[in-house]
């Protein structure tokens, strides 16, 4: 017969096992998780996805949750969906059960930020997508609050307030945040004091790699890109003195070296992951320093684009302790202001500023095919040989990821673009990239989080 003592030990063992299992899952043991902007590798590729054998004409959400403003993408880890938003003067990080949509926790902090009027239509909520790693959620707010939260409880572990710590202090006009010319927004950092942040806020998504949290920072007292210890938030390195862009850094191994690839305002750069040492760089100036898309990488190539610039491939080679680069090719068929590209089986896929999709050969930059029309914005993801392409109007286009031809796979043509076959997901705007985990597709729509079970 079991004694009270043995029952207690057994119960404690079960609790410990469940806790260990939960934290093991939070640590990213499930390959199908979508733990950061553009998925596990930051390249838009889903692992272990279960797509329908035939796509339906319409998909209805299995559950949805009401959100505030913001355009950060959802991320998924260990059966939980994490997303950030803004409600009134509070910026939140929120966790939901991935299957039911039940809210598990939320963390709210004050925020005071209004963008330049050009960016007002996209709201004043967070646009940087959080990242989940080792049981922690890392998020960057629109006004530069970088924080680390426990993924299980939402408890804050550490934070770094960029304008307060690295910004140049000045008196606030009218006692609150305000737009300063064409350069920055001044946000409160202390009583009657403010400091500048980028004109449209911090929008680049954080990168967690090698025990570091890497983020754009900028300002006179900081580096363009900085790395912080993932456990403590302490500064590890800072790099460059360029203008901060709106693009997201990416980790990749190029020429045998682990690197951070990032677009700043005036250039594209490779930095050594451990130290931030510059390995290579090339001018790539975008008007108003508005680099937005994320680079696509397939060793030895780094592929970038931007407003008014062609799709450009740099070939990275080892040279001594650093790297050299050559412009391998340029292609204007796939130039894009907002959308990021995807590389698959030696080809680059994406949508240009005219809404056309194109397939470009990676080795020489030749256009293999170009066809269709799908709106103004789309950053595709790849799963099971298919490209899932969500535009800004809530329309999902599914394409075969093949250089043979432009091959739509969905089954209904909406009124907006009759030549294509797309699936209507929502009537709300969808200015971000979805997350795909197993049979679940998670979509951030305007003031909504939608979960679709793909059957």
């Amino acid at each position: 017969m079991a004694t009270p003592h043995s029952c207690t030990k057994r119960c404690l063992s079960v609790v410990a096992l469940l806790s260990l299992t939960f934290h093991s899952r939070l640590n990213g043991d499930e390959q199908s998780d979508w733990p950061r902007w553009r998925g596990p590798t930051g390249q838009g590729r889903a692992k272990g996805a279960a797509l329908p054998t035939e796509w339906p004409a319409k998909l209805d959400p299995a559950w949805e949750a009401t959100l505030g403003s913001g355009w950060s993408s959802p991320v998924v880890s260990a059966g939980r969906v994490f997303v950030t938003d803004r409600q009134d003067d509070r910026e939140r990080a929120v966790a939901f059960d991935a299957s039911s949509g039940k809210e598990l926790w939320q963390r709210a902090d004050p925020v005071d930020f209004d963008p330049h009027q050009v960016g007002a239509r996209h709201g004043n909520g967070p646009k940087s997508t959080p990242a989940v790693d080792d049981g922690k959620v890392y998020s960057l707010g629109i006004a530069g609050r970088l924080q680390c939260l426990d993924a299980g409880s939402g408890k804050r572990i550490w934070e770094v307030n960029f304008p307060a710590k690295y910004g140049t202090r000045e008196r606030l006009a009218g006692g609150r945040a305000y737009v300063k010319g064409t350069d920055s927004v001044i946000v409160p950092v202390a009583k009657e004091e403010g400091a500048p942040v980028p004109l449209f806020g911090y929008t680049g998504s954080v990168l967690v790699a090698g025990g570091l949290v890497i983020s754009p920072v900028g300002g006179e007292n900081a580096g363009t890109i900085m790395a912080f210890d993932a456990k403590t938030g302490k500064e590890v390195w800072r790099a460059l003195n360029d203008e901060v862009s709106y693009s997201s850094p990416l980790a990749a191994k190029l020429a045998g070296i682990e690197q951070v690839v990032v677009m700043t305002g005036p250039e594209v750069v490779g930095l050594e992951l451990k130290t931030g040492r510059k390995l290579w760089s090339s001018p790539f100036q975008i008007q108003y320093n508005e680099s937005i898309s994320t680079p696509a990488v397939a060793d030895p190539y780094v592929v970038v684009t931007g407003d008014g610039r062609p799709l450009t491939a740099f070939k990275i080679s080892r040279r001594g302790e650093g790297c050299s680069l050559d412009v391998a090719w340029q292609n204007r068929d796939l130039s894009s202001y907002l959308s990021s590209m995807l590389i698959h089986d030696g080809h680059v896929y994406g949508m240009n500023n005219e809404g056309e999709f194109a397939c470009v050969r990676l080795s020489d930059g030749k256009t293999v095919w170009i066809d269709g029309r799908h709106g103004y914005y789309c950053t595709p993801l790849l799963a099971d040989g298919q490209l899932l392409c969500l535009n800004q109007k809530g329309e999902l286009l599914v394409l075969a990821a093949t250089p043979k031809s432009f091959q739509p796979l969905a089954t209904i043509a909406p009124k907006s673009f009759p030549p294509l076959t797309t699936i209507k997901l929502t009537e709300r705007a969808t200015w971000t990239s979805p997350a795909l985990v197993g049979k679940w597709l998670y979509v951030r729509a305007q003031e909504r989080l939608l979960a679709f079970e793909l059957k």
Side-chain angles (χ1 to χ4, degrees):
M1 179 181 293
T3 66
H5 179 69
S6 64
C7 287
T8 300
K9 288 183 65 177
R10 188 179 304 132
C11 290
L12 288 174
S13 297
V14 171
V15 170
L17 179 61
L18 290 173
S19 176
L20 178 63
T21 302
F22 173 71
H23 284 285
S24 175
R25 294 182 70 200
L26 282 178
N27 291 347
D29 294 344
E30 293 186 351
Q31 289 189 346
S32 62
D33 281 352
W34 195 269
R36 53 173 292 197
W37 164 243
R38 303 204 73 202
T41 64
Q43 296 278 280
R45 302 187 188 98
K47 298 179 180 180
L51 301 185
T53 53
E54 291 186 7
W55 286 90
K58 187 175 185 292
L59 281 171
D60 294 315
W63 60 262
E64 61 181 281
T66 300
L67 298 176
S69 63
W71 288 113
S72 58
S73 287
V75 294
V76 187
S77 181
R80 296 185 173 203
V81 184
F82 304 91
V83 69
T84 58
D85 73 353
R86 176 173 176 170
Q87 293 188 343
D88 300 321
D89 62 350
R90 311 287 288 180
E91 202 169 52
R92 302 188 308 161
V94 191
F96 298 93
D97 180 87
S99 298
S100 69
K102 177 184 177 182
E103 183 179 311
L104 302 174
W105 56 257
Q106 63 170 273
R107 169 84 198 188
D109 293 285
V111 63
D112 193 349
F113 173 87
D114 286 308
H116 186 278
Q117 61 184 9
V118 174
R121 69 190 180 109
H122 290 149
N124 56 8
K127 298 174 178 65
S128 172
T129 295
V132 187
D133 184 75
D134 194 27
K136 302 175 182 67
V137 181
Y138 300 91
S139 68
L140 177 61
I142 193 78
R145 183 194 297 271
L146 175 67
Q147 58 183 340
C148 169
L149 307 176
D150 181 86
S153 66
K155 181 181 178 181
R156 185 161 61 206
I157 299 171
W158 57 258
E159 76 165 0
V160 181
N161 189 311
F162 291 164
K165 186 168 185 177
Y166 300 111
T168 304
R169 301 288 183 103
E170 63 177 81
R171 296 276 299 180
L172 284 172
R176 62 174 312 279
Y178 67 96
V179 174
K180 183 178 181 181
T182 58
D183 298 321
S184 58
V185 172
I186 307 300
V187 299
V189 296
K191 187 177 181 180
E192 298 183 348
E193 284 189 332
V197 304
L199 196 61
F200 304 115
Y202 286 92
T203 69
S205 300
V206 294
L207 167 66
V208 184
L212 302 173
V213 181
I214 298 162
S215 175
V217 181
E220 295 182 12
N221 303 319
T224 308
I225 305 297
M226 296 182 64
F228 303 88
D229 185 276
K231 292 183 178 180
T232 66
K234 292 182 178 179
E235 180 183 329
V236 176
W237 55 255
R238 59 176 67 188
L240 310 177
N241 192 29
D242 293 338
E243 292 291 330
V244 173
S245 76
Y246 302 99
S247 181
S248 302
L250 180 74
K253 191 171 186 178
L254 293 162
I257 304 175
E258 295 290 344
Q259 306 185 18
V260 177
V261 179
V262 64
M263 297 176 72
T264 68
E267 60 182 353
V268 56
V269 183
L271 306 170
E272 187 176 49
L273 175 61
K274 292 182 179 180
T275 66
R277 176 174 62 97
K278 183 190 285 191
L279 299 168
W280 56 268
S281 66
S282 178
F284 203 77
Q285 182 70 58
I286 307 297
Q287 189 176 23
Y288 307 120
N289 292 315
E290 289 183 9
S291 298
I292 295 174
S293 63
T294 302
V297 177
D299 194 16
Y301 296 101
V302 174
V303 181
V304 296
T305 188
D307 190 29
R309 300 298 302 266
L311 187 71
T312 301
F314 298 102
K315 190 173 183 179
I316 311 300
S317 305
R318 189 68 176 263
R319 185 177 66 183
E321 295 299 314
C323 298
S324 63
L325 82 160
D326 298 295
V327 177
W329 50 260
Q330 294 184 323
N331 184 310
R332 292 197 174 274
D333 287 340
L334 204 42
S335 175
S336 179
Y337 173 45
L338 292 172
S339 303
S340 299
M341 304 299 146
L342 190 149
I343 298 174
H344 174 60
D345 282 351
H347 294 83
V348 185
Y349 297 90
M351 191 179 81
N352 65 22
N353 283 336
E354 303 303 317
E356 299 169 307
F357 282 94
C359 171
V360 172
R361 198 159 51 221
L362 181 61
S363 59
D364 59 11
K366 300 297 183 184
T367 300
V368 179
W369 54 254
I370 182 169
D371 205 340
R373 185 168 174 80
H374 192 49
Y376 178 63
Y377 166 79
C378 172
T379 288
L381 63 87
L382 175 75
D384 195 24
Q386 300 177 43
L387 299 173
L388 276 61
C389 310
L390 179 67
N391 69 10
Q392 80 282 1
K393 294 186 176 183
E395 298 164 342
L396 180 69
L397 172 67
V398 184
L399 299 176
T402 174
K404 293 180 180 179
S405 63
F406 175 75
Q407 296 180 21
L409 301 177
T411 58
I412 186 171
K415 296 179 181 179
S416 52
F417 301 112
L420 292 188
T421 53
T422 70
I423 303 167
K424 190 67 174 176
L425 298 184
T426 176
E427 296 296 332
R428 294 174 176 267
T430 47
W431 281 97
T432 189
S433 186
L436 179 61
V437 176
K439 63 180 181 179
W440 289 90
L441 182 70
Y442 301 93
V443 173
R444 171 68 174 272
Q446 188 172 23
E447 299 183 342
R448 290 289 190 278
L449 175 62
L450 307 172
F452 299 90
E453 187 174 10
L454 306 179
K455 300 179 179 179

